[in-house]
Amino acid sequence: ELCPTIKNILLLDSEGKRIAVKYYSDDWPTNAAKEAFEKAVFTKTQKTNARTEAEITMFDNYIVVYKFVQDLHFFVTGGENENEIILATVLQGFFDAVGLLLRGTEDKKEALENLDLILLCLDEIVDGGIILETDANVIAGKVDSHSMDAGAPLSEQVSLLLFHSSDYPLAKSIATILTYLGLQQTITQALATAREHLTRSLLK
Amino acid sequence: MGLRRMVYVIIKELSPSADEVIIVTSSLMKDMTSKTDMYRANAIRVLCRITDGTLLTQIERYLKQAIVDKNPVVASAALVSGIHLLQTNPEIVKRWSNEVQEAVQSRAALVQFHALALLHQIRQNDRLAVNKLVSSLTRGSVRSPLAQCLLIRYTSQVIRESTNDTQTGDRPFYDFLEGCLRHKAEMVIFEAARAITELSGVTSRELTPAITVLQLFLSSSKPVLRFAAVRTLNKVAMSHPTAVTNCNIDMESLISDQNRSIATLAITTLLKTGNESSVDRLMKQITNFMSDIADEFKIVVVDAIRSLCLKFPLKHRSLMNFLSNILREEGGFEYKKAIVDSIVILIRDIPEAKESGLLHLCEFIEDCEFTYLSTQILHFLGIEGPKTSDPSKYIRYIYNRVHLENATVRAGAVSTLAKFGAMVDGLKPRIFVLLRRCLFDNDDEVRDRATLYLSTLGGDGAVVETDDGVKEFLFGSLDVPLVNLENSLKNYDPSEKAFDINSVPKDVKTQPLAEKKATSKRPTGLGAPPPGPPSTVDAYEKLLSSIPEFASFGKLFKSSAPVELTEAETEYAVNVVKHIFDGHVVFQYNCSNTIPEQLLENVTVIVDASEAEEFAEVVSKPLRQLPYDSPGQTFVAFEKPEGVSAVGKFSNMLRFIVKEVDPSTGEAEDDGVEDEYQLEDLELVAADYMLKVGVSNFRNAWESMGVDFEHVDEYGLGPRDSLAEAVNAVINLLGMQPCEGTEVVPPNSRSHTCLLSGVYIGNVKVLVRLQFGLDGPKDVAMKLAVRSEEETVSDAIHEIVASG
């Protein structure tokens, strides 16, 4: 197909560990494969200086464009025949949008505390490999209007979701994901909070 | 509100099926019609991810509305979802054509991009529709650089498919591409430049504006632009090195680029475009550069240097020195192996480089840490060393290996010494002395080999010629494939009867020669040339030389492309490859059985050569078994008068024994029935004796060929459909390679000159200059000037035209 395709977008820390990653292709079917790729790409680019201009490299028949700021390492990967400048534009969009969302404090701590914003940001840039938006202002605008208070109690909707689902594993998975999203609650806590809300709403 | 969005993201990650999460679905469907645009957009994206066919038909109405929604976020969401859904529910998505068409006209930049992508995918099997789409948009307004890039890609596709039909005139849409080179967005400029360089059969004239633009990118401050430009120019340099030479100066400054990928690409490009005088200067720059880069880049550079040396054999001294210097430095196994392989190839192909090359290799093994390389080199020395003018000077190096190295290398060295003794009688006394010393080695293998050679070389150390039989026994190649030998040995039961090597089957189940992918997965993708026709020639050569009946035919000159002898969708599919040797032709019939219930045995082709009088059949090699879905080959060889490019027509009949097979068990019956199957005729024409070999600079080649064997004549070709058609007809008749894009005839021209080059059987280089002119409304006259290295060949070319 001739449509420009993005294979993955990665945000790693200064040791190569994941902060937020999104894969849009089957080239890395297992988590082990993904982690191996992240390690490889990090090692290859570690020593370069990609802080003023976006840098580019090629390995394993993939083109990777990347840019660093403080302890954040941004990567965008495409196939070897992709237009490198399109990849760079996506990278710039992601990079600048994160800058806007983190309100100037672009480091790992801030990123982890606002992980939900970053995940939403990724969601607004590429959908299933197809580029949705490249303008950082537009991207940040779409995310910011729905910024979330970390630590807010789970809303009724989610608790309903968790309870009315006849699929307990599904409910458990949803809760796990919510945990990963940095709400800093264990699974049990999440379910407990949800139960509490439901009870409260029933008593109203 | 943000939580709702997070839930959307979660749901997409989990991707439950629609019936698993009914509550979610109904909640989403409510969101899809919500007043809040962001909810609508994202609900659409999530729903389409988890939907199935039935749910999709329910929401189809909303999706169609969304596509033409005023809010661009909603429209894009629906369009992108449509692109994904096209994979699973194409019939449904295709119903949205009208809405998508409307969205293509949208003023919102990215909506047009997404709509264009979706519309193209919907219509991609309809060439006419795509053509229309491209035509209207190239004249209309495109609102985003991404959409423009898409359009450029679709335009290239249209160009590719239209040149298959006609070869006349200026390419359609070339002007559009050229215009894009002046767009304000860099991604568009680059996409257009790249598209132009990838046009098939692109001419230097067409390339120039693209290369100019790429040259500007080379000096950009942005690494991404420099990389993109140098990578594209690297590819162009493979086919049009002269077009890239203008960029050489910019390239040379890139050698010191901080980004090592860019630097390596620059070097390999320069190695391809450099001319003989710049070689020395390049080598100096590269020497400094090599220490900076990683092994994987170094291997790419080594490959490029080897190609350069083969291109300029006179420069072998400095290039060989360079290779041996880097061989001495630090490096990993793959890297050193690449260098050794290159030196070996240079020794084989450039006779003047042999002595210095062998010495370099000898010096290398004095210090080599890799056993594999040492043994390979020793083996190679054994083959090439004895043929040199003074083989004795290598003996010292080889014998030192016997003292100093590990057992494997010592054994290899012993064999090499023996080879020298066998091939060069004068050295026998010295070799015997050395071999006797090896009898006291620690290792079994080394002592065994020494004993074997001492006893068989004969003459007990005197200067006596080694018996040919002995040479064959010791150093001849093993006729049987190792795999079969291993199997036979495993099956051999120790008994009174000795193991008989003749009982080992010689046939290997030859894999069908699969086409190589243009880009194979390799650790480096940097500037490596794609495997082209030469590799298939190697495969054929190997195949034919492994068949003992054809071993005496000599070197394979040319193998044609496969010619189908059956129509599509028949029970048995057969195509034929014509292999041309000096005094023989071999027809390789590739057969395929498409009937699962049949097993064919003893498959041969009965060839009737009554319309090819100069040919006499000598050998027919049957295919023992042809099961379902497992292609195989059968061969028929003909003798022909040597040096004559005989032509003829051959009619073919496939003959075999067919056995019924039970498809469930896969077992065949014991009895079979003889049957025949008529195939189409095949023709051997003059063009089969011509290899298409291009020259990059026709004028130089023409001048240096000289007029000694020039033959010029004029012919009237009679009324033709068009000038282009006449030009094509002659090109196909001669089977030669058009040079410098002269096969393309500009429209409305009354005359045209076409330059062809090739290599004729007997390895004779031929150059042809054709001048066509329209004589009156339809008649075409042609002046044919041939220059070649032999008079008979020049005459032969004229014969072909005269009788064609």
Side-chain angles (χ1 to χ4, degrees):
Chain A
E1 227 317 282
L2 299 175
C3 191
T5 321
I6 307 294
K7 289 202 179 257
N8 67 45
I9 304 185
L10 312 173
L11 178 53
L12 307 178
D13 69 7
S14 50
E15 286 164 15
K17 296 218 205 35
R18 283 184 183 181
I19 299 178
V21 305
K22 194 84 169 71
Y23 286 80
Y24 306 104
S25 128
D26 297 325
D27 291 16
W28 302 275
T30 61
N31 203 39
K34 295 183 168 87
E35 291 186 337
F37 178 77
E38 287 158 35
K39 184 155 179 266
V41 84
F42 180 76
T43 321
K44 185 136 199 243
T45 59
Q46 210 174 1
K47 302 225 180 82
T48 59
N49 176 15
R51 291 175 191 268
T52 35
E53 295 282 359
E55 277 286 349
I56 181 166
T57 187
M58 209 172 127
F59 78 103
D60 243 9
N61 293 3
Y62 298 114
I63 302 183
V64 181
V65 292
Y66 55 97
K67 203 162 176 190
F68 305 157
V69 67
Q70 304 251 38
D71 50 359
L72 295 176
H73 292 225
F74 295 75
F75 301 87
V76 171
T77 308
E80 62 177 342
N81 282 322
E82 197 50 78
N83 179 329
E84 296 90 330
I85 306 176
I86 292 183
L87 296 177
T89 314
V90 171
L91 175 73
Q92 200 62 42
F94 181 44
F95 185 87
D96 290 340
V98 169
L100 288 172
L101 290 170
L102 296 183
R103 300 181 209 284
T105 329
E106 287 164 280
D107 61 23
K108 173 174 171 179
K109 179 161 162 299
E110 197 68 21
L112 283 177
E113 285 186 3
N114 293 283
L115 198 53
D116 52 320
L117 293 182
I118 299 195
L119 289 174
L120 283 178
C121 184
L122 279 172
D123 190 54
E124 293 295 347
I125 299 182
V126 174
D127 180 311
I130 300 183
I131 304 173
L132 276 180
E133 182 57 66
T134 55
D135 183 326
N137 288 310
V138 177
I139 299 170
K142 288 203 269 182
V143 173
D144 223 357
S145 57
H146 308 293
S147 56
M148 188 171 100
D149 268 319
L154 292 178
S155 80
E156 261 176 60
Q157 289 176 338
V158 179
S159 35
L160 273 175
L161 198 74
L162 289 174
F163 266 81
H164 284 257
S165 171
S166 53
D167 190 6
Y168 182 66
L170 179 62
K172 206 159 144 238
S173 321
I174 294 181
T176 318
I177 305 255
L178 287 174
T179 316
Y180 169 79
L181 293 179
L183 290 184
Q184 287 144 4
Q185 291 178 318
T186 63
I187 301 173
T188 356
Q189 279 178 322
L191 284 177
T193 323
R195 200 183 304 126
E196 198 192 303
H197 271 280
L198 187 58
T199 330
R200 228 184 286 148
S201 65
L202 288 175
L203 287 175
K204 265 199 227 156
Chain B
M1 285 210 290
L3 193 52
R4 186 191 291 260
R5 290 273 288 113
M6 282 314 248
V7 174
Y8 291 156
V9 174
I10 298 167
I11 294 172
K12 276 196 285 195
E13 280 302 317
L14 293 177
S15 296
S17 62
D19 54 314
E20 262 185 328
V21 204
I22 301 192
I23 288 199
V24 174
T25 327
S26 60
S27 171
L28 284 170
M29 281 175 71
K30 216 175 72 170
D31 280 349
M32 219 170 48
T33 49
S34 136
K35 284 208 198 64
T36 319
D37 290 335
M38 280 308 295
Y39 287 172
R40 282 220 311 286
N42 285 298
I44 290 176
R45 282 170 61 193
V46 179
L47 261 179
C48 293
R49 188 64 66 84
I50 64 175
T51 188
D52 60 17
T54 42
L55 178 60
L56 189 53
T57 34
Q58 287 173 24
I59 60 176
E60 197 179 345
R61 181 161 65 94
Y62 299 109
L63 291 175
K64 281 162 94 167
Q65 282 173 353
I67 290 179
V68 291
D69 194 293
K70 283 197 306 302
N71 183 313
V73 179
V74 174
S76 282
L79 287 163
V80 171
S81 303
I83 298 179
H84 293 311
L85 284 172
L86 205 49
Q87 310 301 320
T88 47
N89 305 80
E91 341 70 46
I92 300 186
V93 180
K94 288 192 180 157
R95 298 206 283 256
W96 310 345
S97 279
N98 288 332
E99 284 75 11
V100 180
Q101 180 83 51
E102 201 184 311
V104 171
Q105 309 300 325
S106 160
R107 320 202 93 237
L110 287 176
V111 174
Q112 187 186 46
F113 166 59
H114 294 130
L116 182 55
L118 180 53
L119 194 60
H120 179 263
Q121 275 208 285
I122 291 179
R123 301 238 173 109
Q124 67 179 348
N125 292 324
D126 183 349
R127 229 212 272 181
L128 201 53
V130 174
N131 219 308
K132 259 173 62 184
L133 178 62
V134 168
S135 302
S136 66
L137 278 173
T138 51
R139 276 174 275 145
S141 65
V142 179
R143 299 181 204 282
S144 65
L146 280 173
Q148 190 86 344
C149 287
L150 260 192
L151 188 56
I152 292 175
R153 293 185 187 188
Y154 299 155
T155 309
S156 302
Q157 189 186 44
V158 165
I159 295 180
R160 238 194 329 270
E161 287 171 0
S162 65
T163 33
N164 284 338
D165 299 333
T166 60
Q167 274 226 21
T168 54
D170 249 350
R171 271 178 234 271
F173 300 117
Y174 174 77
D175 289 328
F176 165 69
L177 289 179
E178 204 252 333
C180 287
L181 293 174
R182 295 185 278 275
H183 197 276
K184 36 183 184 38
E186 283 161 347
M187 68 164 80
V188 175
I189 300 176
F190 176 68
E191 187 78 48
R194 191 172 69 156
I196 293 180
T197 62
E198 289 174 358
L199 291 172
S200 67
V202 63
T203 65
S204 321
R205 186 175 53 98
E206 288 169 326
L207 275 178
T208 316
I211 298 207
T212 314
V213 145
L214 290 171
Q215 188 175 357
L216 287 171
F217 278 4
L218 287 177
S219 39
S220 156
S221 58
K222 298 195 219 169
V224 174
L225 291 179
R226 296 199 301 270
F227 178 89
V230 83
R231 196 161 79 110
T232 311
L233 287 170
N234 190 316
K235 285 205 198 106
V236 177
M238 280 187 233
S239 47
H240 298 81
T242 40
V244 184
T245 37
N246 286 337
C247 305
N248 277 2
I249 309 211
D250 301 276
M251 292 264 188
E252 285 185 25
S253 55
L254 285 181
I255 297 183
S256 48
D257 194 300
Q258 284 238 4
N259 182 316
R260 281 354 232 143
S261 306
I262 296 180
T264 312
L265 282 167
I267 291 242
T268 48
T269 313
L270 283 168
L271 286 171
K272 286 187 199 122
T273 61
N275 51 31
E276 214 156 335
S277 48
S278 62
V279 169
D280 293 317
R281 197 177 73 237
L282 258 185
M283 285 298 116
K284 230 183 283 188
Q285 285 169 314
I286 298 183
T287 318
N288 299 334
F289 163 83
M290 286 302 259
S291 40
D292 274 343
I293 56 177
D295 267 12
E296 46 165 321
F297 293 145
K298 285 193 200 168
I299 296 180
V300 175
V301 176
V302 166
D303 284 340
I305 291 180
R306 177 183 71 233
S307 317
L308 186 70
C309 196
L310 289 172
K311 206 161 106 177
F312 300 122
L314 295 173
K315 286 283 168 193
H316 69 89
R317 215 174 298 278
S318 64
L319 291 168
M320 189 74 91
N321 278 341
F322 176 82
L323 285 176
S324 96
N325 283 337
I326 54 176
L327 194 52
R328 275 198 262 276
E329 288 164 13
E330 291 284 315
F333 172 68
E334 287 299 332
Y335 172 53
K336 300 247 169 143
K337 180 162 179 306
I339 305 177
V340 169
D341 287 343
S342 300
I343 297 183
V344 163
I345 291 178
L346 293 180
I347 292 178
R348 277 214 195 113
D349 292 347
I350 305 178
E352 303 82 18
K354 195 191 285 212
E355 307 257 335
S356 59
L358 290 174
L359 269 174
H360 284 308
L361 288 176
C362 285
E363 285 163 4
F364 173 58
I365 51 177
E366 306 215 297
D367 223 345
C368 174
E369 36 175 345
F370 301 109
T371 306
Y372 176 85
L373 288 179
S374 296
T375 47
Q376 291 294 95
I377 293 177
L378 282 168
H379 179 79
F380 181 68
L381 277 173
I383 301 175
E384 294 291 331
K387 297 188 209 157
T388 61
S389 53
D390 181 19
S392 59
K393 63 178 180 237
Y394 305 111
I395 305 274
R396 176 175 66 84
Y397 292 101
I398 305 173
Y399 184 61
N400 281 340
R401 301 302 101 224
V402 179
H403 280 314
L404 303 167
E405 301 278 2
N406 62 44
T408 320
V409 179
R410 294 204 301 273
V414 167
S415 294
T416 308
L417 284 175
K419 235 186 234 159
F420 272 72
M423 301 294 175
V424 185
D425 305 323
L427 288 175
K428 270 222 182 67
R430 280 175 66 187
I431 298 286
F432 263 70
V433 169
L434 298 175
L435 284 176
R436 277 205 201 97
R437 292 196 201 146
C438 300
L439 289 173
F440 301 105
D441 192 284
N442 279 338
D443 182 82
D444 292 346
E445 175 72 20
V446 178
R447 290 197 308 272
D448 282 349
R449 290 195 189 187
T451 318
L452 172 66
Y453 295 133
L454 280 171
S455 52
T456 48
L457 283 180
D460 209 21
V463 181
V464 147
E465 194 178 320
T466 318
D467 187 31
D468 270 335
V470 172
K471 274 192 208 163
E472 187 55 34
F473 167 66
L474 289 175
F475 306 118
S477 59
L478 201 57
D479 262 344
V480 291
L482 279 177
V483 172
N484 296 3
L485 181 60
E486 183 184 344
N487 285 336
S488 301
L489 283 170
K490 278 196 202 142
N491 295 335
Y492 170 70
D493 282 323
S495 68
E496 299 250 321
K497 213 168 112 195
F499 179 77
D500 182 9
I501 196 164
N502 290 323
S503 68
V504 179
K506 297 211 170 92
D507 299 322
V508 178
K509 186 160 172 307
T510 42
Q511 245 71 23
L513 296 163
E515 289 186 38
K516 278 208 171 130
K517 288 205 310 222
T519 51
S520 47
K521 263 218 178 287
R522 286 166 59 145
T524 71
L526 282 176
S535 47
T536 340
V537 169
D538 283 344
Y540 282 140
E541 268 201 64
K542 273 209 191 83
L543 175 62
L544 292 171
S545 54
S546 72
I547 301 175
E549 291 92 329
F550 305 149
S552 60
F553 291 173
K555 187 159 163 43
L556 175 63
F557 175 69
K558 175 179 173 182
S559 303
S560 74
V563 178
E564 297 291 332
L565 296 181
T566 52
E567 296 188 9
E569 321 228 357
T570 47
E571 304 108 306
Y572 316 114
V574 179
N575 65 47
V576 68
V577 176
K578 305 177 255 186
H579 300 292
I580 313 281
F581 294 84
D582 253 343
H584 297 85
V585 295
V586 175
F587 296 136
Q588 170 184 336
Y589 297 90
N590 299 316
C591 310
S592 209
N593 171 16
T594 66
I595 307 183
E597 297 88 15
Q598 284 191 358
L599 167 69
L600 305 187
E601 287 191 351
N602 247 346
V603 182
T604 59
V605 178
I606 309 294
V607 185
D608 182 353
S610 44
E611 287 186 50
E613 294 131 355
E614 295 170 270
F615 292 86
E617 182 170 328
V618 283
V619 165
S620 169
K621 192 166 160 59
L623 174 60
R624 267 202 292 187
Q625 286 209 341
L626 186 62
Y628 167 67
D629 210 25
S630 170
Q633 294 91 34
T634 168
F635 302 82
V636 180
F638 284 84
E639 199 170 24
K640 72 167 189 47
E642 222 169 286
V644 171
S645 32
V647 297
K649 200 161 177 194
F650 302 83
S651 59
N652 310 285
M653 174 88 80
L654 194 69
R655 186 176 284 171
F656 45 86
I657 300 179
V658 56
K659 294 187 174 170
E660 298 274 327
V661 168
D662 183 353
S664 47
T665 63
E667 282 178 18
E669 288 183 3
D670 288 327
D671 293 324
V673 176
E674 258 211 36
D675 202 357
E676 288 181 348
Y677 188 78
Q678 182 74 47
L679 303 170
E680 285 175 20
D681 294 341
L682 80 88
E683 267 196 79
L684 204 60
V685 295
D688 286 319
Y689 292 100
M690 179 73 76
L691 267 177
K692 274 188 181 192
V693 177
V695 289
S696 46
N697 192 327
F698 188 87
R699 161 168 278 201
N700 278 353
W702 184 260
E703 306 291 321
S704 52
M705 184 78 85
V707 295
D708 290 332
F709 304 119
E710 178 174 84
H711 186 156
V712 185
D713 221 338
E714 294 192 11
Y715 301 86
L717 301 182
R720 313 295 293 209
D721 287 333
S722 68
L723 194 56
E725 184 265 322
V727 171
N728 273 338
V730 178
I731 295 179
N732 287 336
L733 181 64
L734 292 175
M736 295 171 70
Q737 174 74 32
C739 302
E740 299 181 10
T742 51
E743 73 274 27
V744 180
V745 181
N748 300 327
S749 13
R750 305 276 310 162
S751 67
H752 185 68
T753 305
C754 185
L755 308 169
L756 305 174
S757 87
V759 174
Y760 199 65
I761 187 158
N763 253 325
V764 181
K765 287 211 211 16
V766 188
L767 295 171
V768 163
R769 200 178 231 154
L770 295 165
Q771 281 162 298
F772 294 86
L774 270 177
D775 212 2
K778 285 260 179 189
D779 286 309
V780 178
M782 178 179 82
K783 181 165 158 190
L784 166 65
V786 182
R787 282 194 191 178
S788 77
E789 297 167 340
E790 268 179 48
E791 179 138 30
T792 43
V793 174
S794 307
D795 291 339
I797 305 287
H798 277 267
E799 277 272 337
I800 297 173
V801 174
S803 55

